[in-house]
């Protein structure tokens, strides 16, 4: 059988990179996207190829419709029809109170995290759904424990964006449940990646880990395991689920 195609947005670093590498090891042909860090994306592609897998990196800002359309067209033409999407690209900005935030910031945060996830989900459903002639598939949205914690004094805008991702997961799962497409979300807690640098606190996981019942941060690989299980046929009766990967937080 042909190797199924997995798209991991934001696959150049962190959780996305771990998902891409583990996905390739599980037999997927992997497409990763990156925003600006081409060198990091090329390193992930090389790692997968060195292990005997197939991978392609495409530059695309998930918050820009033309970029997402070009991304999916590239996959259609170069590899074929995707059956798995890890809707992973996401970002946050410097920690601050809501009463200090600008409209421009809210537009950036909501655009990248919400519109970006919606755009990729739309293009995936148009290819996967039996309603559109597809052969089915699975989508996993990367949400965050922030959606239920709210992230006070840090990034309520990001938390709210992930709340929107949760709602989209629930609604879209029901919308396409009879069309061969499963939609779930993974909500990581405190994971060791560079996203905390964007928050202005590279040591955020170390500082906050005492509040985690398991008393430690998580690894990108631990999150990737959950994403790949939800994408797999082993999760064939699981849809509309928000799976926390938080060490109990
Ligand atoms: P990360 O280490 O900061 O990596 C972010 C990835 O997304 C990079 O590949 C980056 O590309 C890409 N990216 C950022 N903005 C993008 C855009 N507008 N369009 C396309 N790609 C974009 O992040 P991470 O910690 O692995 O997080 C991955 C996902 O998990 C995100 O959705 C995040 O919100 C979620 N999450 C993370 C944590 C955590 O503690 N780390 C917790 C909960 C949820 P470049 O390499 O080109 O910059």
């Amino acid at each position: 059988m042909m190797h199924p195609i997995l798209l991991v947005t934001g696959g150049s670093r962190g959780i996305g990179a771990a998902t891409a590498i583990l996905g390739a090891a599980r037999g997927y042909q992997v497409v990763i996207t990156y925003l600006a860090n081409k060198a990091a994306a090329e390193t992930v592609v090389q790692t997968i190829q060195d292990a005997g897998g197939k991978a392609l990196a495409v530059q695309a800002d998930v918050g820009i419709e033309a970029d997402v359309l070009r991304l999916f067209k590239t996959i259609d033409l170069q590899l074929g029809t995707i059956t798995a999407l890890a809707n992973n690209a996401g970002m946050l900005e410097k920690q601050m109170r809501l009463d200090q935030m600008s409209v421009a910031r809210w537009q950036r945060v909501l655009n990248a995290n919400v519109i970006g996830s919606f755009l990729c989900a739309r293009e995936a459903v148009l290819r996967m759904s039996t309603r559109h002639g597809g052969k089915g598939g699975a989508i996993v949205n990367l949400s965050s424990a922030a959606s239920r914690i709210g992230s006070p004094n840090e990034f309520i805008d990001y938390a709210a964006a992930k709340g929107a991702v949760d709602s989209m997961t629930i609604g879209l799962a029901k919308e396409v449940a009879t069309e061969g497409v499963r939609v779930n979300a993974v909500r990581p807690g405190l994971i060791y990646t560079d996203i905390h640098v964007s928050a202005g606190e590279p040591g955020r996981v170390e500082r906050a880990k005492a509040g985690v019942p398991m008393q430690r941060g998580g690894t990108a690989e631990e999150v990737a395991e959950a994403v790949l299980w939800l994408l797999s046929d082993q999760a064939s009766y699981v849809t509309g689920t928000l799976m926390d990967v938080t060490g109990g937080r």
Side-chain angles (χ1 to χ4, degrees), residues 34-63:
Y34 62 98
L35 182 60
N37 198 333
K38 187 174 189 192
E42 284 172 349
T43 300
V44 172
V45 168
Q46 194 64 51
T47 301
I48 290 171
Q49 289 174 347
D50 288 350
K54 191 165 179 191
L56 173 71
V58 179
Q59 192 284 330
D61 184 335
V62 294

Side-chain angles (χ1 to χ4, degrees), residues 65-185:
E65 184 174 24
D67 279 21
V68 174
L69 295 178
R70 172 175 50 78
L71 163 67
F72 277 82
K73 189 57 71 61
T74 302
I75 300 170
D76 291 341
L77 294 174
Q78 294 198 18
L79 297 174
T81 306
I82 71 161
T83 54
L85 167 65
N87 222 347
N88 167 82
M91 54 76 105
L92 44 70
E93 299 201 6
K94 291 265 178 300
Q95 294 165 341
M96 64 178 72
R97 290 168 50 94
L98 182 142
D99 56 18
Q100 304 301 309
M101 292 176 187
S102 67
V103 170
R105 168 182 164 133
W106 290 334
Q107 284 169 337
R108 287 192 300 272
V109 169
L110 293 171
N111 193 63
N113 292 296
V114 181
I115 307 280
S117 298
F118 273 62
L119 273 172
C120 294
R122 183 186 74 189
E123 293 308 306
V125 166
L126 286 171
R127 287 159 176 80
M128 295 174 181
S129 167
T130 53
R131 184 189 181 96
H132 300 293
K135 294 192 165 66
I139 298 171
V140 172
N141 296 319
L142 268 290
S143 174
S144 171
S147 73
R148 61 178 163 72
I149 293 168
S151 307
N153 304 305
E154 292 192 312
F155 23 70
I156 294 175
D157 52 350
Y158 169 82
K162 295 302 191 181
V165 170
D166 287 355
S167 297
M168 183 267 269
T169 303
I170 294 164
L172 184 60
K174 292 174 179 170
E175 204 163 273
V176 298
T178 60
E179 300 171 16
V181 184
R182 294 181 302 102
V183 186
N184 292 288

